[in-house]
């Protein structure tokens, strides 16, 4: 092909993709270098998934990888709800960086190792799980499928995954724990009112939660253009389900806020390490902080006696620093020096992604959007299949690395590209 023919073919191909109803919100127009957002990239490699509506998977067992679920969810879920899941903040640089960050690292597999049997089990804060793949906290899951967090808990039970429940869950911590059939963790959004945080934590502890992960990277409102644009395409009358007269009114519909006075509640913009100390005096649960990206903060966390850290940029949903979680992980691990366990989330989609973090020294990897794709596409069976695919890929990646157990994944197996 001449360079002219190649350019023409590429342009026609991208125009065909842009015309697909799956990408009606303009993502491929931007990718093709056309339209007002020309030059931007997609947040995930959607081109790996089916391109035509008629090629979408019809059942979870048809999925080849986790990306196959996202276009099905896009078709099933109302535009505003899909936008809530898919959106980053500002220019979504961090959202894209979470995927592109893995390109900065290369794996160094070892050979002539017996990997006929692979043990993916691991211990996190004294509890053994069959896999280091953790179900990350995601709010409002009934917006994606009627079963919401209950369906997710049942799917997590199948693979014995640790599940972390969001503060803004649409199912109660008691019901989710019962569906999971084992203790879960609770994620805490602190507010400007200590009494509210205390009430939420006390309820989670009473329900049997083993740990509370305090999110520290949401310090105010967020600019989420993708969500807003998709909301504008949603023809439903949102007031039928959402009372937007005030943030407090909407929170009262969330399970964890039942019986809690949310008058005047707002995001905490004044949280300091004193909050963590106060929390320590309030609960017997283990305490982790979720949202650290700098080694200075990691050292403070370890020095303060915290039980763990979740390296996270909130999936690109909290700030637009442009730095991926996987890129921040090495300096966090070095600062902690093995004193407390370090988990990580944001951007994990493949078994090799998970192996990279585990080899660096992470104790577990939290996955969010992929299982929500499965939930929105097929409910509980979709979540089960997403988690199964990740387990299959992790097992294969460990074999490829010459690692029969998680402990055989060591820092020497990873190098910067």
């Amino acid at each position: 092909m001449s360079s002219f023919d190649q350019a023409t073919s590429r342009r026609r191909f991208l125009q065909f993709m842009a015309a697909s109803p799956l990408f009606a919100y303009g993502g491929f127009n931007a990718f093709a270098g056309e339209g007002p957002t020309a030059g931007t990239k997609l947040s995930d490699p959607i081109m790996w998934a089916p391109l035509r509506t008629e090629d979408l998977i019809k059942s979870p067992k048809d999925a080849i990888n986790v990306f196959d679920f996202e276009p099905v969810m896009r078709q099933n879920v109302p535009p505003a709800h899909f936008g809530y899941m898919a959106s980053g903040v500002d220019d979504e640089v961090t959202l894209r960086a979470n995927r592109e960050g893995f390109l900065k690292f290369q794996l160094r597999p070892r050979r002539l190792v017996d990997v006929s049997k692979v043990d993916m089990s691991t211990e996190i804060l004294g509890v053994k799980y069959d896999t280091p793949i953790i179900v990350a906290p995601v709010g409002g899951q009934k917006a994606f499928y009627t079963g919401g967090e209950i369906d997710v808990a049942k799917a997590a039970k199948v693979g014995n995954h640790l599940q972390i429940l969001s503060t803004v869950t649409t199912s109660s911590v008691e019901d989710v724990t019962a569906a999971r059939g084992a203790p879960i963790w609770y994620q805490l959004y602190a507010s400007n009112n200590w009494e509210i945080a205390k009430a939420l934590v006390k309820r989670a502890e009473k329900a049997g939660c083993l740990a509370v992960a305090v999110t520290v990277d949401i310090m105010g409102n967020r600019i989420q253009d993708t969500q807003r644009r998709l909301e504008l395409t949603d023809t439903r009358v949102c007031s039928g389900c959402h009372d937007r007269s005030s943030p407090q009114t909407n929170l009262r519909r969330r399970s964890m806020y039942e019986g809690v006075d949310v008058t005047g509640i707002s995001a905490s913009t004044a949280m300091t390490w004193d909050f963590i100390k106060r929390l320590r005096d309030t609960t017997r649960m283990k305490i982790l902080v979720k949202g650290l990206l700098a080694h200075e903060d990691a050292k403070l966390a370890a020095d303060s006696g915290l039980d763990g850290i979740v390296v996270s940029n909130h999936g690109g949903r909290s700030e637009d620093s442009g730095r991926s979680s996987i890129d921040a992980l090495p300096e966090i691990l070095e600062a902690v020096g093995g004193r407390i366990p370090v988990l990580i989330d944001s951007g994990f989609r493949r078994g090799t992604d998970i192996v990279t973090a585990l080899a660096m020294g992470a104790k577990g990897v939290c996955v969010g959007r992929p299982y929500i794709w499965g939930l929105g596409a097929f409910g509980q069976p979709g979540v089960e299949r997403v988690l199964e695919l990740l387990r299959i890929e992790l097992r294969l990646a460990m074999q490829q690395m010459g690692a029969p157990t998680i402990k055989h994944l060591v820092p020497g197996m990873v190098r910067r590209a």
Side-chain angles (χ1 to χ4, degrees):
M1 271 190 159
S2 69
S3 59
F4 175 79
D5 289 336
Q6 288 176 337
T8 301
S9 295
R10 179 179 181 276
R11 181 181 180 83
R12 287 175 178 170
F13 176 62
L14 290 171
Q15 285 175 334
F16 162 75
M17 294 167 87
S20 168
L22 293 176
F23 310 116
Y25 58 93
F28 269 96
N29 285 331
F31 190 73
E34 301 178 10
T37 55
T40 61
K41 292 183 179 180
L42 295 172
S43 60
D44 264 318
I46 299 176
M47 67 285 293
W48 295 354
L51 301 179
R52 302 181 304 170
T53 302
E54 55 265 35
D55 293 331
L56 297 184
I57 59 173
K58 304 302 188 294
S59 128
K61 63 181 176 57
D62 296 333
I64 296 172
N65 58 43
V66 302
F67 296 103
D68 286 334
F69 291 91
E70 186 179 17
V72 182
M73 178 191 180
R74 175 74 176 93
Q75 186 180 57
N76 291 353
V77 172
H81 294 184
F82 184 85
Y84 170 75
M85 179 282 302
S87 186
V89 295
D90 297 344
D91 291 323
E92 299 190 336
V93 175
T94 308
L95 185 68
R96 296 190 299 273
N98 280 330
R99 291 300 302 139
E100 296 165 357
F102 290 101
L103 299 176
K104 297 181 180 181
F105 299 95
Q106 297 172 341
L107 295 172
R108 301 178 64 249
R110 299 300 305 273
R111 304 306 186 200
L112 297 175
V113 178
D114 183 356
V115 288
S116 57
K117 295 181 180 179
V118 173
D119 181 4
M120 297 188 294
S121 66
T122 190
E123 186 176 295
I124 304 173
L125 293 183
V127 179
K128 187 175 181 180
Y129 300 94
D130 291 350
T131 168
I133 302 168
I134 300 167
V135 177
V138 177
Q141 292 179 19
K142 288 182 181 177
F144 312 120
Y145 194 81
T146 52
E149 294 85 359
I150 301 299
D151 277 1
V152 170
K154 292 177 180 177
K157 181 179 181 179
V158 172
N160 190 24
H161 293 267
L162 168 61
Q163 180 181 7
I164 309 177
L165 184 66
S166 171
T167 289
V168 286
T169 174
T170 45
S171 300
S172 73
V173 64
E174 296 84 4
D175 289 346
V176 174
T177 299
R180 174 58 184 84
I184 63 175
W185 290 8
Y186 183 66
Q187 173 266 337
L188 176 66
Y189 282 125
S191 70
N192 59 334
N193 187 324
W194 163 254
E195 293 302 319
I196 294 176
K198 181 179 177 181
L200 298 177
V201 168
K202 285 293 188 181
R203 180 174 172 183
E205 182 176 321
K206 185 178 180 181
C209 291
L210 299 177
V212 55
V214 184
T215 294
V216 295
D217 59 9
I218 298 292
M219 302 307 294
N221 291 329
R222 297 174 285 185
I223 300 173
Q224 296 182 293
D225 293 352
T226 295
Q227 179 177 352
R228 181 59 182 145
R229 291 187 190 284
L230 285 174
E231 284 178 351
L232 295 174
T233 71
D234 201 322
T235 58
R236 300 168 309 135
V237 179
C238 293
S239 59
C241 296
H242 303 277
D243 184 342
R244 296 187 172 182
S245 58
S246 72
Q248 295 79 19
T249 304
N250 193 36
L251 275 182
R252 290 188 183 100
R253 298 177 59 251
R254 301 289 183 165
S255 175
M256 293 303 294
Y257 290 94
E258 293 173 358
V260 176
D261 183 2
V262 294
T263 304
I265 191 175
S266 66
S268 176
T269 55
M271 189 192 304
T272 68
W273 290 103
D274 288 336
F275 178 90
I276 304 299
K277 294 177 183 177
R278 200 172 184 183
L279 193 61
R280 175 67 76 192
D281 295 333
T282 302
T283 181
R284 297 187 303 274
M285 289 188 292
K286 302 288 188 182
I287 301 174
L288 302 89
V289 287
K290 178 179 179 293
L292 299 190
L293 294 170
H295 65 83
E296 296 91 343
D297 289 333
K299 185 177 184 302
L300 288 171
D303 291 345
S304 68
L306 275 170
D307 298 297
I309 291 171
V310 184
V311 179
S312 171
N313 58 35
H314 217 103
R317 295 171 62 83
S318 62
E319 40 77 17
D320 211 17
S321 66
R323 192 179 191 205
S324 67
S325 286
I326 194 66
D327 194 43
L329 180 59
E331 73 174 65
I332 301 292
L333 290 165
E334 183 179 0
V336 168
R339 289 180 288 169
I340 55 176
V342 175
L343 312 179
I344 185 171
D345 69 23
S346 303
F348 288 84
R349 306 287 185 265
R350 307 296 308 232
T352 46
D353 301 339
I354 298 167
V355 155
T356 300
L358 296 175
M360 287 179 178
K363 291 291 292 182
V365 171
C366 307
V367 176
R369 283 187 175 97
Y371 82 79
I372 292 298
W373 299 340
L375 179 67
F378 299 104
Q380 179 184 337
V383 181
E384 286 186 24
R385 180 59 174 160
V386 165
L387 295 175
E388 180 187 34
L389 285 169
L390 291 174
R391 293 195 303 272
I392 290 171
E393 290 192 12
L394 174 58
R395 179 180 295 275
L396 291 174
M398 289 175 64
Q399 288 179 313
Q400 293 162 0
M401 292 300 295
T405 71
I406 298 296
K407 291 181 179 178
H408 286 88
L409 293 170
V410 295
M413 291 179 166
V414 184
R415 55 161 282 176
R416 283 205 176 258

